[in-house]
Amino acid sequence: EIGRFWGRSTIALAHMLKESGSGKLVSMDTYEQPHFREILSSHGLSEYVEVWNGFSQAGYSKWEIMMPEEKPGMVFIDGNHTYEGAYMDILQWSRLLPPEGILVVDDYDQYNSGVILAVNELIVWSENFHTLELTGKLFVARKKTGCKL
């Protein structure tokens, strides 16, 4: 998860992991809201969430160093909403996805033209993803087998 702000999506994603009985969520943002870890604990989710504080690019480098063999089944991007920020997040983190991995980008709407352009360039207009769904402002895609990223 790139960009957790107050942690609502973190809690929702971690609940899904808890219900499935497996998996780990790496939740990343440049800062940590006060009492965030206590909130996770009160929901019984601490063991399902690893909190990383820092910029997305630093987190990507950390992942490559600490977990080079691990591939996330899903990447949820809701971080920097500028074109440049969204572009780099999508480009870098989608490289870690295995074939058929899921990429979700939040705020694909008229208020975030940078996000729309980055998604269109790297996902919609590329041949690297299958578009699965656009629900509200959530854009969901699956990485194709043989993807050139």
Side-chain angles (χ1 to χ4, degrees):
E1 173 191 33
I2 312 304
R4 82 176 148 261
F5 195 53
W6 289 103
R8 288 186 298 241
S9 57
T10 307
I11 290 169
L13 293 167
H15 269 294
M16 289 188 300
L17 291 174
K18 184 177 182 179
E19 287 178 23
S20 75
S22 66
K24 183 75 137 182
L25 172 66
V26 174
S27 177
M28 181 178 319
D29 209 323
T30 55
Y31 61 95
E32 188 175 321
Q33 294 289 353
H35 311 293
F36 177 67
R37 291 177 198 254
E38 290 88 358
I39 293 167
L40 287 176
S41 180
S42 72
H43 285 272
L45 301 172
S46 297
E47 68 184 273
Y48 300 96
V49 180
E50 191 170 324
V51 178
W52 291 6
N53 297 314
F55 288 99
S56 173
Q57 291 78 15
Y60 176 80
S61 297
K62 181 177 179 178
W63 186 292
E64 285 192 311
I65 292 167
M66 292 179 58
M67 303 181 289
E69 302 303 317
E70 290 189 46
K71 302 293 181 197
M74 180 182 86
V75 173
F76 181 84
I77 297 176
D78 187 19
N80 185 329
H81 290 75
T82 65
Y83 167 74
E84 294 81 6
Y87 187 96
M88 286 307 297
D89 284 345
I90 294 167
L91 181 66
Q92 286 186 317
W93 288 94
S94 63
R95 288 178 181 151
L96 292 177
L97 281 174
E100 304 302 316
I102 302 291
L103 181 65
V104 179
V105 182
D106 195 12
D107 298 315
Y108 184 84
D109 62 16
Q110 71 270 21
Y111 304 109
N112 294 286
S113 59
V115 173
I116 289 173
L117 184 56
V119 166
N120 289 348
E121 287 181 4
L122 292 171
I123 301 172
V124 176
W125 300 332
S126 81
E127 297 195 12
N128 295 317
F129 292 89
H130 301 283
T131 300
L132 297 179
E133 190 171 347
L134 177 59
T135 303
K137 58 185 185 144
L138 284 177
F139 187 95
V140 182
R142 183 180 300 275
K143 188 174 178 180
K144 289 182 179 179
T145 302
C147 174
K148 296 170 183 64
L149 286 173

